[in-house]
mmCIF file of all heavy atoms in Angstrom:
data_model
loop_
_atom_site.group_PDB
_atom_site.id
_atom_site.type_symbol
_atom_site.label_atom_id
_atom_site.label_comp_id
_atom_site.label_asym_id
_atom_site.label_seq_id
_atom_site.Cartn_x
_atom_site.Cartn_y
_atom_site.Cartn_z
ATOM 1 N N GLU A 399 70.923 51.572 -84.556
ATOM 2 C CA GLU A 399 70.770 52.019 -85.945
ATOM 3 C C GLU A 399 69.550 51.370 -86.576
ATOM 4 O O GLU A 399 68.766 52.031 -87.266
ATOM 5 C CB GLU A 399 72.035 51.685 -86.755
ATOM 6 C CG GLU A 399 72.063 52.296 -88.137
ATOM 7 C CD GLU A 399 71.419 51.445 -89.223
ATOM 8 O OE1 GLU A 399 71.316 50.214 -89.036
ATOM 9 O OE2 GLU A 399 71.030 52.019 -90.250
ATOM 10 N N ILE A 400 69.336 50.104 -86.330
ATOM 11 C CA ILE A 400 68.163 49.406 -86.849
ATOM 12 C C ILE A 400 66.884 50.013 -86.264
ATOM 13 O O ILE A 400 65.893 50.210 -86.971
ATOM 14 C CB ILE A 400 68.234 47.895 -86.546
ATOM 15 C CG1 ILE A 400 69.303 47.241 -87.404
ATOM 16 C CG2 ILE A 400 66.890 47.217 -86.763
ATOM 17 C CD1 ILE A 400 69.567 45.803 -87.057
ATOM 18 N N SER A 401 66.914 50.327 -84.975
ATOM 19 C CA SER A 401 65.756 50.931 -84.327
ATOM 20 C C SER A 401 65.421 52.283 -84.951
ATOM 21 O O SER A 401 64.254 52.572 -85.234
ATOM 22 C CB SER A 401 66.035 51.088 -82.832
ATOM 23 O OG SER A 401 64.989 51.772 -82.205
ATOM 24 N N VAL A 402 66.426 53.109 -85.185
ATOM 25 C CA VAL A 402 66.201 54.417 -85.809
ATOM 26 C C VAL A 402 65.656 54.231 -87.223
ATOM 27 O O VAL A 402 64.735 54.932 -87.647
ATOM 28 C CB VAL A 402 67.504 55.253 -85.818
ATOM 29 C CG1 VAL A 402 67.355 56.506 -86.670
ATOM 30 C CG2 VAL A 402 67.901 55.621 -84.396
ATOM 31 N N ALA A 403 66.223 53.267 -87.950
ATOM 32 C CA ALA A 403 65.757 53.012 -89.320
ATOM 33 C C ALA A 403 64.297 52.585 -89.329
ATOM 34 O O ALA A 403 63.511 53.042 -90.157
ATOM 35 C CB ALA A 403 66.623 51.937 -89.976
ATOM 36 N N THR A 404 63.914 51.732 -88.389
ATOM 37 C CA THR A 404 62.541 51.248 -88.318
ATOM 38 C C THR A 404 61.578 52.374 -87.946
ATOM 39 O O THR A 404 60.496 52.483 -88.523
ATOM 40 C CB THR A 404 62.435 50.110 -87.286
ATOM 41 O OG1 THR A 404 63.358 49.087 -87.649
ATOM 42 C CG2 THR A 404 61.047 49.533 -87.235
ATOM 43 N N LYS A 405 61.989 53.222 -87.011
ATOM 44 C CA LYS A 405 61.127 54.336 -86.599
ATOM 45 C C LYS A 405 60.931 55.343 -87.720
ATOM 46 O O LYS A 405 59.898 56.006 -87.791
ATOM 47 C CB LYS A 405 61.713 55.032 -85.379
ATOM 48 C CG LYS A 405 61.582 54.246 -84.111
ATOM 49 C CD LYS A 405 62.232 54.963 -82.954
ATOM 50 C CE LYS A 405 62.203 54.088 -81.710
ATOM 51 N NZ LYS A 405 62.956 54.681 -80.610
ATOM 52 N N SER A 406 61.918 55.471 -88.585
ATOM 53 C CA SER A 406 61.829 56.480 -89.649
ATOM 54 C C SER A 406 61.003 55.992 -90.837
ATOM 55 O O SER A 406 60.628 56.789 -91.687
ATOM 56 C CB SER A 406 63.226 56.882 -90.126
ATOM 57 O OG SER A 406 63.849 55.815 -90.808
ATOM 58 N N LEU A 407 60.729 54.704 -90.878
ATOM 59 C CA LEU A 407 59.951 54.168 -91.994
ATOM 60 C C LEU A 407 58.463 54.304 -91.706
ATOM 61 O O LEU A 407 57.917 53.625 -90.850
ATOM 62 C CB LEU A 407 60.287 52.692 -92.221
ATOM 63 C CG LEU A 407 61.667 52.398 -92.762
ATOM 64 C CD1 LEU A 407 61.891 50.889 -92.813
ATOM 65 C CD2 LEU A 407 61.843 52.999 -94.135
ATOM 66 N N ARG A 408 57.839 55.193 -92.411
ATOM 67 C CA ARG A 408 56.397 55.375 -92.287
ATOM 68 C C ARG A 408 55.819 55.502 -93.682
ATOM 69 O O ARG A 408 56.323 56.265 -94.498
ATOM 70 C CB ARG A 408 56.083 56.658 -91.508
ATOM 71 C CG ARG A 408 56.321 56.511 -90.037
ATOM 72 C CD ARG A 408 55.845 57.762 -89.306
ATOM 73 N NE ARG A 408 56.957 58.199 -88.476
ATOM 74 C CZ ARG A 408 57.571 59.368 -88.574
ATOM 75 N NH1 ARG A 408 57.168 60.255 -89.435
ATOM 76 N NH2 ARG A 408 58.562 59.665 -87.796
ATOM 77 N N VAL A 409 54.780 54.761 -93.929
ATOM 78 C CA VAL A 409 54.089 54.886 -95.202
ATOM 79 C C VAL A 409 52.937 55.842 -94.980
ATOM 80 O O VAL A 409 52.132 55.664 -94.059
ATOM 81 C CB VAL A 409 53.584 53.515 -95.702
ATOM 82 C CG1 VAL A 409 52.841 53.666 -97.014
ATOM 83 C CG2 VAL A 409 54.739 52.537 -95.842
ATOM 84 N N ARG A 410 52.891 56.867 -95.799
ATOM 85 C CA ARG A 410 51.831 57.868 -95.649
ATOM 86 C C ARG A 410 50.475 57.261 -95.979
ATOM 87 O O ARG A 410 50.342 56.459 -96.903
ATOM 88 C CB ARG A 410 52.105 59.059 -96.556
ATOM 89 C CG ARG A 410 53.373 59.799 -96.167
ATOM 90 C CD ARG A 410 53.666 60.910 -97.129
ATOM 91 N NE ARG A 410 53.820 60.307 -98.461
ATOM 92 C CZ ARG A 410 54.058 60.981 -99.565
ATOM 93 N NH1 ARG A 410 54.130 62.282 -99.535
ATOM 94 N NH2 ARG A 410 54.207 60.378 -100.716
ATOM 95 N N ASN A 411 49.477 57.663 -95.225
ATOM 96 C CA ASN A 411 48.118 57.140 -95.412
ATOM 97 C C ASN A 411 47.597 57.392 -96.815
ATOM 98 O O ASN A 411 46.935 56.533 -97.400
ATOM 99 C CB ASN A 411 47.156 57.744 -94.378
ATOM 100 C CG ASN A 411 47.343 57.120 -93.019
ATOM 101 O OD1 ASN A 411 47.777 55.985 -92.923
ATOM 102 N ND2 ASN A 411 47.031 57.859 -91.980
ATOM 103 N N GLU A 412 47.879 58.568 -97.371
ATOM 104 C CA GLU A 412 47.360 58.875 -98.692
ATOM 105 C C GLU A 412 47.909 57.934 -99.770
ATOM 106 O O GLU A 412 47.300 57.716 -100.809
ATOM 107 C CB GLU A 412 47.599 60.336 -99.084
ATOM 108 C CG GLU A 412 49.053 60.741 -99.223
ATOM 109 C CD GLU A 412 49.651 61.350 -97.967
ATOM 110 O OE1 GLU A 412 49.088 61.194 -96.858
ATOM 111 O OE2 GLU A 412 50.715 61.980 -98.091
#
Side-chain angles (χ1 to χ4, degrees):
E399 189 272 338
I400 289 173
S401 175
V402 170
T404 304
K405 287 178 185 173
S406 69
L407 291 175
R408 285 186 232 119
V409 179
R410 296 176 300 179
N411 284 333
E412 64 266 17

